[in-house]
Amino acid sequence: MSYPLPDEVRRLQDKLRRFVDEVAIPRELEAEMNPEFAQAYKSRNQAWAKDNGLWAMTIPKDKGGGGLSFLEQAIVNEQGGRATNGVGWCYSSPPRFLAEVATPYQMETWIAPMIAGTRFYAYAITEEAAGSDVDAIESTARAEGNGFVLNGVKWHATGGGTADFFIFQAKREDGGHALFFVDREQDGVRLVRTPDYMHSHSVHPIFAFEDVFVPADNLIESDADAQSNAMTWTHEWFRYERLMIAARCCGAASRLIDEATAFAKDRVVYGQPIAAYQAIQFMLADSLTELWAARLMTYQTAEAMDRGEDVKIIHGQCAMAKLYASEMAGRVADRAVQIFGGRGYMSENVANRFFRELRVDRIWEGTSEIQRIIIADGLFKRGQEALTA
Ligand SMILES: Cc1cc2nc3c(=O)[nH]c(=O)nc-3n(C[C@H](O)[C@H](O)[C@H](O)COP(=O)(O)OP(=O)(O)OC[C@H]3O[C@@H](n4cnc5c(N)ncnc54)[C@H](O)[C@@H]3O)c2cc1C
């Protein structure tokens, strides 16, 4: 029996699946071999996403976004995750809270253009000495005149290649966290370098913010609660991203199982297809079983978010979905490389590319170790029933 997706969600799934099969997958190898083509192709696919209501899909419709449910977004990410080299990631999903807390000035200056796809952002939290432990950030926001002076060096800024503004997380003088809009072209913002990563589908530069003055209008959620809200919003963003990572990992694993199964049926060794050997069958059987579990966790967590269930429980469930799905996808990619044999080690092979690209899913938006800490914390505080019943 298939998962009981509502009809409109099933239609969305079919549409995305067709797009990924017919448009994204056929060009992913070209994207691997030619990064310039990859960029151009992604831009072209973004036009398709805009035409199909997948732009700013996190943002409610009354604010100009796509207004998709969490389940629908998980479905979109799952299908997008079936292609390598990011060619399936044509949609955009900026943090929803921005549209909820933005002042009219912030809406006009950053959010509405971001929703329209004319401005791009990077969410800059991590620093050289502060990744897992967000509270250890050393970036500062010092009140001065009618604004703030910002200092800090931010690492791994995803989207930093095209971003023309940052969501910059810093600590105020009293130690509370705060988020600011910072324009890329502002005095004091400097690109330090753009390191190479294990994947080639996106860049994550390092930026220095040196005595950058921003008016108080740039402070996100600039009311009396601003300091506590910064971490609240960042945690909301982490939950969302963790669930969508889980969804993309399900898509990747699904593709790998399809590809490895087709190869196993076709590849003849010692006179018979390798699919006839139990060693190969067991790898595929384990992969399929683990994919099913990860998909159920992902869909059910998305549905719980759509129902607006207790955010503390959701926090633990997003951590479980991300932990399990990312580790599952890593195992599936490893088995797929093994099934393809020497071919699996070639960059032109899908298993090679996923093997490299999926590795980051155990690291970004909180490593597997951090997800385990969150899950154990939830277990101790709220109990097994609350988290899994
Ligand atoms: C490609 C990529 C894109 C990224 N994009 C962004 C972005 O857009 N914006 C942004 O702000 N950040 C971004 N990040 C940063 C990412 O979120 C961090 O790399 C991640 O949270 C881990 O932090 P760290 O690298 O500093 O590792 P560390 O925190 O230094 O951890 C190192 C190791 O120690 C382990 N560890 C740490 N604490 C514990 C503990 N208590 N118990 C057990 N083990 C522990 C970790 O699990 C890890 O294995 C990105 C990273 C990558 C690789």
Side-chain angles (χ1 to χ4, degrees), residues 18-148:
R18 266 199 315 280
F19 168 79
V20 172
D21 282 341
E22 293 168 12
V23 179
I25 289 175
R27 307 302 290 276
E28 61 182 9
L29 185 53
E30 215 171 333
E32 168 74 15
M33 301 303 171
N34 180 352
E36 276 174 24
F37 163 79
Q39 276 314 319
Y41 199 56
K42 269 186 237 173
S43 305
R44 172 195 175 282
N45 291 344
Q46 284 170 0
W48 181 86
K50 283 179 189 162
D51 290 344
N52 284 277
L54 302 177
W55 200 255
M57 60 184 182
T58 37
I59 307 287
K61 279 196 170 132
D62 62 358
K63 307 266 187 204
L68 268 61
S69 68
F70 288 110
L71 180 63
E72 288 169 326
Q73 293 180 63
I75 294 291
V76 170
N77 272 279
E78 182 181 13
Q79 291 305 316
R82 288 175 53 244
T84 65
N85 299 82
V87 287
W89 303 0
C90 51
Y91 41 85
S92 90
S93 46
R96 187 176 67 166
F97 74 82
L98 289 176
E100 284 165 2
V101 302
T103 62
Y105 167 73
Q106 293 172 345
M107 196 70 194
E108 188 190 342
T109 311
W110 294 285
I111 309 302
M114 177 188 77
I115 293 170
T118 53
R119 296 200 73 176
F120 297 90
Y121 74 96
Y123 201 147
I125 309 165
T126 302
E127 300 170 3
E128 183 172 12
S132 303
D133 182 3
V134 176
D135 197 41
I137 60 169
E138 291 173 352
S139 290
T140 54
R142 177 169 45 83
E144 190 176 290
N146 65 344
F148 296 87

Side-chain angles (χ1 to χ4, degrees), residues 26-335:
R27 307 302 290 276
E28 61 182 9
L29 185 53
E30 215 171 333
E32 168 74 15
M33 301 303 171
N34 180 352
E36 276 174 24
F37 163 79
Q39 276 314 319
Y41 199 56
K42 269 186 237 173
S43 305
R44 172 195 175 282
N45 291 344
Q46 284 170 0
W48 181 86
K50 283 179 189 162
D51 290 344
N52 284 277
L54 302 177
W55 200 255
M57 60 184 182
T58 37
I59 307 287
K61 279 196 170 132
D62 62 358
K63 307 266 187 204
L68 268 61
S69 68
F70 288 110
L71 180 63
E72 288 169 326
Q73 293 180 63
I75 294 291
V76 170
N77 272 279
E78 182 181 13
Q79 291 305 316
R82 288 175 53 244
T84 65
N85 299 82
V87 287
W89 303 0
C90 51
Y91 41 85
S92 90
S93 46
R96 187 176 67 166
F97 74 82
L98 289 176
E100 284 165 2
V101 302
T103 62
Y105 167 73
Q106 293 172 345
M107 196 70 194
E108 188 190 342
T109 311
W110 294 285
I111 309 302
M114 177 188 77
I115 293 170
T118 53
R119 296 200 73 176
F120 297 90
Y121 74 96
Y123 201 147
I125 309 165
T126 302
E127 300 170 3
E128 183 172 12
S132 303
D133 182 3
V134 176
D135 197 41
I137 60 169
E138 291 173 352
S139 290
T140 54
R142 177 169 45 83
E144 190 176 290
N146 65 344
F148 296 87
V149 176
L150 309 179
N151 278 285
V153 179
K154 296 297 187 180
W155 276 50
H156 309 300
T158 299
T162 49
D164 60 354
F165 71 92
F166 298 90
I167 302 158
F168 178 84
Q169 187 154 342
K171 279 194 175 174
R172 307 215 306 192
E173 283 134 311
D174 63 2
H177 288 254
L179 293 169
F180 298 87
F181 290 108
V182 182
D183 285 321
R184 167 76 181 83
E185 293 310 319
Q186 202 153 345
D187 283 349
V189 178
R190 182 170 60 85
L191 172 66
V192 177
R193 65 190 175 93
T194 304
D196 281 339
Y197 283 75
M198 210 181 275
H199 61 224
S200 57
H201 56 63
S202 49
V203 296
H204 316 274
I206 301 172
F207 285 96
F209 298 75
E210 295 158 330
D211 290 330
V212 179
F213 178 81
V214 293
D217 286 343
N218 290 36
L219 177 63
I220 296 175
E221 178 68 309
S222 51
D223 61 19
D225 286 338
Q227 296 164 48
S228 57
N229 281 348
M231 278 310 290
T232 310
W233 300 135
T234 290
H235 281 141
E236 180 182 308
W237 177 238
F238 285 161
R239 278 191 295 279
Y240 173 79
E241 280 286 284
R242 285 168 188 164
L243 188 67
M244 297 306 145
I245 287 170
R248 290 198 296 272
C249 285
C250 289
S254 159
R255 168 92 186 281
L256 284 162
I257 292 169
D258 281 347
E259 298 275 359
T261 302
F263 180 78
K265 286 180 176 171
D266 193 53
R267 175 69 172 166
V268 174
V269 182
Y270 293 115
Q272 34 179 352
I274 59 171
Y277 300 120
Q278 281 194 336
I280 302 292
Q281 291 171 5
F282 287 4
M283 284 196 271
L284 291 169
D286 285 345
S287 297
L288 189 62
T289 307
E290 293 173 28
L291 166 61
W292 190 30
R295 184 178 280 146
L296 293 176
M297 290 169 81
T298 303
Y299 288 4
Q300 292 208 0
T301 306
E303 286 178 319
M305 285 169 79
D306 284 325
R307 286 193 299 271
E309 288 188 9
D310 182 347
V311 79
K312 294 198 169 78
I313 303 298
I314 296 288
H315 201 69
Q317 292 178 336
C318 287
M320 285 192 274
K322 196 245 188 201
L323 171 67
Y324 187 75
S326 63
E327 301 214 333
M328 173 278 298
R331 288 190 293 273
V332 171
D334 187 62
R335 293 177 193 129

